Amino acid sequence: MRTTYEYVPKTSVPVFKQLLNRLSAILTKAEAYVTEKKFEPTVLLNARLYTLICFP
């Protein structure tokens, strides 16, 4: 008899793959933006984006 825990990887792995693909696309766009604007990538990485997300 199979338990619920045996099905978790089968259902969660595709979701994580999709999320990681989206994150990869976001990072690619950020890299292109940094290259276009000609500034250090650490500036973007260290930016405080919390206020932009929570308080538009």
Side-chain angles (χ1 to χ4, degrees):
M1 185 172 164
R2 292 182 179 239
T3 63
T4 304
Y5 297 109
E6 292 180 62
Y7 294 107
V8 171
K10 291 180 183 177
T11 57
S12 62
V13 168
V15 173
F16 285 122
K17 283 178 66 176
Q18 184 180 29
L19 290 172
L20 290 172
N21 285 334
R22 289 179 182 175
L23 178 60
S24 177
I26 291 169
L27 291 174
T28 301
K29 287 182 181 181
E31 184 180 22
Y33 179 78
V34 166
T35 304
E36 177 186 327
K37 298 296 181 180
K38 297 180 181 156
F39 61 86
E40 290 293 319
T42 55
V43 173
L44 192 59
L45 290 173
N46 293 330
R48 294 194 59 170
L49 302 177
Y50 174 77
T51 55
L52 297 175
I53 294 171
C54 295
F55 305 104

